[in-house]
Amino acid sequence: MGSDVLYKLQLFDGLFKTCRKCKHHAERPRARNQTQNILAARQQLSPAAERLRHILSEDDATPTPTIFTEMDTLQQDGEELEWKESARWVKFEEKVEEGGERWSKPHVSTLTLHSLFELRTCLQTGSILLDLEGYSLPQIVEEIVDRQIADGLIPPDLKEKIIFVLLRKHRHQTKKPIHRSLADMGKSSNTPSSKDLFCSFSTDPSQSRSMNDISDTPSTDQLKNKFMKKIPRDAEASNVLIGEVDFLDKPFVSFVRLAQATTLGGLTEVPVPTRFLFILLGPQGKTKSYNEIGRAIATLMVDDLFSDVAYKARDRDDLIAGVDEFLDEVIVLPPGEWDPKIRIEPPKKVPSAEMRKSVLNLNELGQMNGSAGGAAGGEDDELPVQHELGEELKFTGRFCGGLWLDIKRKIPFYCSDIYDGFHIQSISAVLFIYLGCITNAITFGGLLGDATDNYQGVMESFLGTALAGTVFCLFGGQPLIILSSTGPILIFEKLLYEFSKNNNIDYMELRLWIGLHSCLQCFLLVISDASYIIKYMTRFTEEGFSSLISFIFISDAIKKMVGTFKYYPINRGFKPDYITSYKCECVAPDQGKTSNLDSSVPPLWFWDDSSPFFNLTDLDWSQLSKKECVKYGGALVGGSCKYVPDLALMSFILFIGTYSMTVSLKKFKFSRYFPTKVRKLISDFAIFMSIMSFVGLDMLMGLDTPKLIVPTEFKPTRSDRGWFVLPFGKNPWWWYLATFVPALLVTILIFMDQQISAVIVNRKENKLKKGCGYHLDLFWVGVLMAVCSFMGLPWYVAATVISIAHIDSLKMESECSAPGEQPQFLGVREQRLTGVLVFVLTGLSVFLAPILQYIPMPVLYGVFLYMGVASLSGIQFWERMKLYLMPPKHQPDFSFLRHVPLRRIHLFTLVQIICLAVLWILKSTFLAIIFPVMILGLMVVRKMLDLMFSQHDLAWLDDILPDKDKKKKEDEKKKKKKTEGFVDQEIMNIETNSERPRERFNRFI
Amino acid sequence: MGSDVLYKLQLFDGLFKTCRKCKHHAERPRARNQTQNILAARQQLSPAAERLRHILSEDDATPTPTIFTEMDTLQQDGEELEWKESARWVKFEEKVEEGGERWSKPHVSTLTLHSLFELRTCLQTGSILLDLEGYSLPQIVEEIVDRQIADGLIPPDLKEKIIFVLLRKHRHQTKKPIHRSLADMGKSSNTPSSKDLFCSFSTDPSQSRSMNDISDTPSTDQLKNKFMKKIPRDAEASNVLIGEVDFLDKPFVSFVRLAQATTLGGLTEVPVPTRFLFILLGPQGKTKSYNEIGRAIATLMVDDLFSDVAYKARDRDDLIAGVDEFLDEVIVLPPGEWDPKIRIEPPKKVPSAEMRKSVLNLNELGQMNGSAGGAAGGEDDELPVQHELGEELKFTGRFCGGLWLDIKRKIPFYCSDIYDGFHIQSISAVLFIYLGCITNAITFGGLLGDATDNYQGVMESFLGTALAGTVFCLFGGQPLIILSSTGPILIFEKLLYEFSKNNNIDYMELRLWIGLHSCLQCFLLVISDASYIIKYMTRFTEEGFSSLISFIFISDAIKKMVGTFKYYPINRGFKPDYITSYKCECVAPDQGKTSNLDSSVPPLWFWDDSSPFFNLTDLDWSQLSKKECVKYGGALVGGSCKYVPDLALMSFILFIGTYSMTVSLKKFKFSRYFPTKVRKLISDFAIFMSIMSFVGLDMLMGLDTPKLIVPTEFKPTRSDRGWFVLPFGKNPWWWYLATFVPALLVTILIFMDQQISAVIVNRKENKLKKGCGYHLDLFWVGVLMAVCSFMGLPWYVAATVISIAHIDSLKMESECSAPGEQPQFLGVREQRLTGVLVFVLTGLSVFLAPILQYIPMPVLYGVFLYMGVASLSGIQFWERMKLYLMPPKHQPDFSFLRHVPLRRIHLFTLVQIICLAVLWILKSTFLAIIFPVMILGLMVVRKMLDLMFSQHDLAWLDDILPDKDKKKKEDEKKKKKKTEGFVDQEIMNIETNSERPRERFNRFI
């Protein structure tokens, strides 16, 4: 029949009133802030919407409980009738797969328009019992039937029959073990056997059958049901009962709302009290149709808006208004473009109930919008939410104002900063970051040692990292930041040491004074709230900086790997057959060519003893090792001397292996295998597991690959220095003042490095909740500068890549509550514990050396490579780079692509690439020392972009630069416009002022 | 207003008539075969459906053209009004992204219910002009406006204004180059400059503006539009014009169908003649609403069913019936579960128009269905389409009947078998399969050489492969099958050689007689149509066999790789520092310890000369290579003798590298980068590119990794045999008869191996169109047996894995026509060319040796690994194995999961795993020789599964075994049932007979 349904519709005549639906998007943000007064003035609401507005605004204070809906259908089980669960809804639909005897995946309920219309008729013709006082199923059923009889809907003689049917037992689909006993095996075979007969008459263990138990206490089956944890605590149930019987000739429909939610025995599969009952019994032959009606009411019941209506409805018409409102909002898929058999996976985000309710209240406001923006599709004209740096970076103008605010902000979180750290994820984070930190400490320690003749070596690097890191994580404003040595500091130290050596100045003392000056300068910056200038740093600068640092990480990891090939050269011309011609012999230097066949002295004796004082002529040169040979001036002769077999290739395998395994394990979270928790654990511990696997492989191969070597004794690397540097005595007095100048450079370096990393860590995307502390951070960095200078340790500053890795390893996702709901990124486990642990462990590494010595360096380079690559992902700049390689039709649906022409996006990306290339080149020269200063250059370039790009484009690709004057003007305009109802975009245009009207129009089309 | 629309609906009273929609699925397959007579008997169609049935059945002979729809909206461009394209539809919607100035991705048009109702009203109230004689836009517009005036819908004084608006120029969104000139850069900046002014007044090159050109010839812009190739050749356009004007106070709606499709100047962006025009002009303020109505009519116009209606409609009511029918079929998404902003990607498959039309005709038949299957959800009760082996395997009962049919079937395709091969894909396939074949030839050749003391070596293997392969590909029934030596044959030869050596029988002559007998036996099998028994081989057997072969491939590849580590042992204890203590010296054997410092003979002279006759005492032992040293009885002394550096690890890198690169490149097809064609090319040539890359890497490293070595001279491996084996003379005469017995084993071996591979190749999933030729194949295999035996070459039979690889490399996909339509797998490029080329190249490999010698073996092992893994993918058995590791809620939506309980699926998989394990174990023993016979065992196990599983479950997990008696019965039943309208499943139940009714019912619920 189908079509005649619509055919009979007397279609409305009010054609060209505004379509409310289409205005939602543009209007929402503003709509909510509007007062009810405006509304009252425009009494053009449709009757249904008007009705709903009335009901829903009555007592908004009490939120309605979540509804769990279960749909049971009446089925013939042999001789007996029973109600069998056929689907359930928490938010999305789960269907019982009849054949598969299991729950389907949660999916979006696709309904037919038809069933919704039929449901509407059901509600119009059936009996509606609102706020029925019910305490048990038989009593409720009796009341329902009595009401129907009273209304003359059914003849009284059917009462018994209907009650009988409605009180049949309920059989629920509960989870069962996957592997059943072997006894089941023969069950559905077609050999008739006595066992078969027995099986089919005995109760099926996989399905719980709640008998007509009218007891109020939940059954064991109900209580044992694990599904319960997917249902919110306050949930109430709505039961939909659908069946066909032979004694009716027209349908029996009843919608019941109980005055109090009551547990009605085994009605529901879970021990959730029932609030709503929808009963549909009809004559035979229309099962499909009834099922669809059941699905329709079930879907409605879990709809946020309709469930509110159902709770608050005063009469039948309210319910029908709810259905109408629902119908008005539905989304329709054309039959030729979508196969109804496809189950639609739940979307990542669903429209929130609040949005929909607010729209309901203000639906008429949309009208004006249509006329404003011309015919251009106004729905997409929203501007992106602007990146707000918040009050942390406000210029207070008071002495230490920012610092004081920082402390005030962080103190209340101090306790939670500790106990929030107790989570299994923290272990993985600590292991990961710890390994990153010690690798960094060793790398930088080694380089610093080379640069300063071991005045600062690996030992100092470890101690300094541990000390600075622990202090910062305990007292800093943003304990998620990881301090580390950074490249610019390394270069500065190198230049400084060369300078002092060439001019006979004491390096350690000079350095101490620079540190002290720099510390004071930092304090000045803290006192004067200078960090506020960071708010001029937009996404452009931030992404440029972090991409550059990531590239440096990646290139360093690869360089180190390539270095291995140089350090362990491979003998390329080697032919296995000519192995006899490859040897490496130590030959005595020409001057002392004596017989080494002197039999009186056993030749092995010499090189076993490592004492350097013995007669060179007595040496058995051929028994010397390579190093000894070189040491005693011998010559290495032979084809294999230059080459080291296997190590380079093994290192390469370890490097690539660690990297790829980490990437695969991280991705494993999105695979289908294993339960979610296991997958999450694997993904959290991906780096640890890869490191362990490849350390294992390395041990198995037993090759002498380069290993991590940490100092095992607690003493300065150079024996002629102690743990404390005296400030006076070695250099002329005027140096104490002159160091102010180099200190200025160090300060800028530290300020930029520290604050940019902090901005990146505090990115909005990370959803940090405990606030940041730019001033407090800088204060502690200053203090640590001084301390480290006194102790002759390297200087420390926030390390971007490791900090990002730290944050990534601490990300939290919501446990998905309703089946099918996508887990949401909730934020980061903000605490001080992981940081502190990492650095305490770094300090203790001296004692962990026996364990750490098994870790091959190439494995750690692999981890570095991963860190670099991982910190690139999710950067918009990186996504935009990829766009160059994608034909437009394959590009992902980024919102900026919808709003900014592709060529402008490419141009913007190109500017960024050029900036980075320039920075990269500068970095490779001696100018590297002013590297963080060059970031200021990026900010200047950004300012110039204002001339090249419209504010509209920049708002999508970057952020708008803050500007006091403009800000005010904008605010004023906004207020004005709001009442006039112009689109946001217009504000932007007028704000930029200089555009011609025609120019402005061009951008819209 | 929204809700009041529905509020005013006088809802239908025919509530409990059957919902047609829900019955579609179960009824479709049969419905189409029904006669119109049945229909005539049931005159219960709804008026709308009745109307449509009438229109659509009138002249079904002429298919209606595809419709391309373009929607233009009226916009103010500075002072001027113009029509601007805002969206277009071929099958899915593409929207102009206003901000992004580009086309959105094609997506499913999500409409609002509201707009559909509004559209319906538009069609009810507006003017409908069907079959208007139109030749130019002004003339058509004039007619439209005149009609409106005549109907009294608009006052005559508006005529001029409306005509003016409707004749404004059209501006289309055409593709433009991504990078525009630098001159554009400043364009949307906010510095006012004279250039800016100029720019904004000059025409924008990115958008073609067709002036009011009333010319009938398409403009250059139109002709240059690349989009044209996405539109089917016969397409006609439907133009939707939506605009708001200030002079109207009620909407002006017009729907026009032209008598002849006419090109109306620049109306459409592509030079497609226009057939339909929908015009909606309305008073200002409702842009959104108008746009939605425009989208609704555009979506309707591209709907298969509605476009038919639009072409054939006789009056307004027909159109409205079309809308109603559309509305009745729409799928509705609940507003709380789906965000309307999400653009839905086009699905993989859409319901076909034929289905939908047939349903329209037979919608009332569904009624009965509801009552048939009880309350169980009947919609899912379809059985999977049964695997039909077709007439190829019918038992003809005539002499050579099958062979004759095969030849008759293949002859007509012979020409196309040649020219279908001319495609770029063939090149990649030839290279890939060629490399697979020669690797196989070398591997098996080497093994055969070992097993038969080089009676059959690598040379024989190459020649045999080339000969057998070429003949088979030229004349065989299924030229996609690749012949190769297989494991069982190898084992047979080995045993045979040992037997003849031990019993002093001439091996070559014995083998010749076995070959001849086997050939005769094959002919007997061909004559008697014995191949028909293959039809008892179901998916169970087929998948078991092919999985096993794949596992063997994978394990062989890995074994070979591990072998490399044994062949090139790594010195694990090596310390780079002690390189001086590692050497390998050749020391003269003890008996002849003479001075090698005899200065009269230069020591180098000896080993340079390879003559074996010289005085051992004259040797300079220390100068000998490893092999020579061993040859002359020297002893190798030293720590490095046993070890070979780097080669094992390098081989491993090449192996893993080739495999992973191939996998990644194959996957690249699904990435977003580069245009589809480039991606397809990369994916097609994935294996070739990986091989080339790693051959390059190997050359770059210059290491002496094991290389592919092919014979360079055309002569038998053993010098004492020729290219022809004489049948008589060497063995006693009775051997000529006795060889009948071993030949029987060979025949079974060949028959099973050949035919199972053929079944796998001919799988329904491969969509082969040229039919198969089981008997013809076997005939040629027999012939080749005899030929190869005479020439002393190995025997050849179909190789499963390489044949699958061959098919995979020749798969065709449809070029996606309409934007957003998913490419469909069309079938395989069935031809003889690739096969012939592969084997000709194999024969020529003797001359290609200089090139082939650069290919390292580990690279080829990597290719083997890929072949093995790739042939596993897509096997249902493999998918089911994976299910063990997946929690039920993460399992993919396989149809068998919807219909068969998980525990039964797991049980079935377990049985398969056990069978394979048993086969694997047997294969590893001497029983390997009867390996193909064991496949018969699999078929027996399958027969027994009938006792363990219901036919319903087996139908989903496997195929139903054919049975002559049952078949007939089934056919009868089917005929009977068809008229009664029972569900298919019932047939299955009754067919299996032995089930109790209760048992049967249980399975449904």
Side-chain angles (χ1 to χ4, degrees), chain B residues 505-544:
Chain B
I505 301 161
D506 186 72
Y507 165 67
M508 296 303 272
E509 200 184 289
L510 183 69
R511 196 175 162 277
L512 166 60
W513 279 99
I514 292 176
L516 290 178
H517 275 295
S518 196
C519 169
L520 280 179
Q521 287 160 5
C522 281
F523 287 170
L524 276 177
L525 291 175
V526 171
I527 288 169
S528 60
D529 285 359
S531 302
Y532 89 98
I533 71 148
I534 288 297
K535 73 177 169 192
Y536 288 95
M537 213 169 64
T538 57
R539 192 206 286 268
F540 176 83
T541 324
E542 194 188 293
E543 288 193 347

Side-chain angles (χ1 to χ4, degrees), chain A residues 562-756:
Chain A
V562 171
T564 315
F565 276 83
K566 287 195 186 122
Y567 193 72
Y568 299 114
I570 292 170
N571 187 354
R572 292 176 177 201
F574 183 81
K575 304 268 171 242
D577 194 30
Y578 298 130
I579 188 153
T580 47
S581 58
Y582 289 96
K583 56 190 80 174
C584 181
E585 283 177 338
C586 183
V587 176
D590 294 330
Q591 79 275 11
K593 201 146 199 172
T594 49
S595 157
N596 57 0
L597 293 169
D598 187 359
S599 59
S600 66
V601 186
L604 276 169
W605 184 86
F606 281 107
W607 68 275
D608 254 355
D609 186 352
S610 58
S611 141
F613 307 106
F614 58 95
N615 186 4
L616 276 179
T617 53
D618 287 346
L619 269 177
D620 179 357
W621 287 95
S622 72
Q623 298 283 6
L624 288 184
S625 80
K626 202 171 166 183
K627 268 186 201 151
E628 286 166 334
C629 185
V630 173
K631 193 168 159 195
Y632 304 136
L636 290 162
V637 174
S640 65
C641 286
K642 300 186 293 205
Y643 304 117
V644 180
D646 295 319
L647 293 193
L649 292 176
M650 189 65 207
S651 300
F652 180 73
I653 291 172
L654 293 174
F655 172 71
I656 288 290
T658 308
Y659 172 72
S660 355
M661 185 165 166
T662 309
V663 171
S664 323
L665 288 184
K666 278 277 171 196
K667 268 193 206 151
F668 190 73
K669 191 158 76 179
F670 306 108
S671 86
R672 295 170 175 277
Y673 303 101
F674 300 113
T676 319
K677 277 188 182 169
V678 177
R679 287 206 313 267
K680 198 159 160 15
L681 207 70
I682 290 175
S683 150
D684 280 350
F685 282 84
I687 291 160
F688 184 69
M689 285 164 69
S690 321
I691 290 175
M692 290 318 283
S693 312
F694 283 89
V695 166
L697 176 72
D698 182 67
M699 284 168 74
L700 206 74
M701 294 296 291
L703 286 173
D704 195 25
T705 44
K707 300 290 196 301
L708 182 72
I709 294 158
V710 291
T712 48
E713 264 184 292
F714 188 73
K715 61 172 190 194
T717 313
R718 236 178 122 105
S719 46
D720 62 347
R721 57 156 284 190
W723 283 127
F724 188 75
V725 181
L726 287 176
F728 305 106
K730 293 193 175 160
N731 292 334
W733 67 269
W734 51 270
W735 273 115
Y736 306 148
L737 303 180
T739 44
F740 175 82
V741 183
L744 210 58
L745 188 62
V746 174
T747 308
I748 297 175
L749 215 137
I750 286 205
F751 178 78
M752 295 302 295
D753 235 3
Q754 174 69 35
Q755 303 298 40
I756 296 176

Side-chain angles (χ1 to χ4, degrees), chain A residues 494-606:
Chain A
K494 196 171 169 176
L495 296 178
L496 189 69
Y497 184 73
E498 278 168 15
F499 173 80
S500 54
K501 211 162 73 175
N502 296 341
N503 297 283
N504 281 322
I505 301 162
D506 184 73
Y507 165 66
M508 295 302 273
E509 202 183 290
L510 182 71
R511 193 175 165 278
L512 167 59
W513 280 98
I514 292 176
L516 290 179
H517 275 296
S518 197
C519 169
L520 280 178
Q521 287 161 4
C522 282
F523 287 169
L524 276 176
L525 292 174
V526 171
I527 287 169
S528 60
D529 285 359
S531 302
Y532 89 98
I533 72 148
I534 288 298
K535 73 178 170 193
Y536 288 94
M537 214 169 67
T538 58
R539 193 205 286 267
F540 176 83
T541 325
E542 192 189 295
E543 288 192 346
F545 180 77
S546 65
S547 310
L548 195 63
I549 299 280
S550 302
F551 289 144
I552 292 174
F553 245 71
I554 294 170
S555 96
D556 278 357
I558 293 170
K559 259 190 217 154
K560 295 237 171 218
M561 192 55 237
V562 171
T564 315
F565 276 83
K566 287 195 186 122
Y567 193 72
Y568 299 114
I570 292 170
N571 187 354
R572 292 176 177 201
F574 183 81
K575 304 268 171 242
D577 194 30
Y578 298 130
I579 188 153
T580 47
S581 58
Y582 289 96
K583 56 190 80 174
C584 181
E585 283 177 338
C586 183
V587 176
D590 294 330
Q591 79 275 11
K593 201 146 199 172
T594 49
S595 157
N596 57 0
L597 293 169
D598 187 359
S599 59
S600 66
V601 186
L604 276 169
W605 184 86
F606 281 107

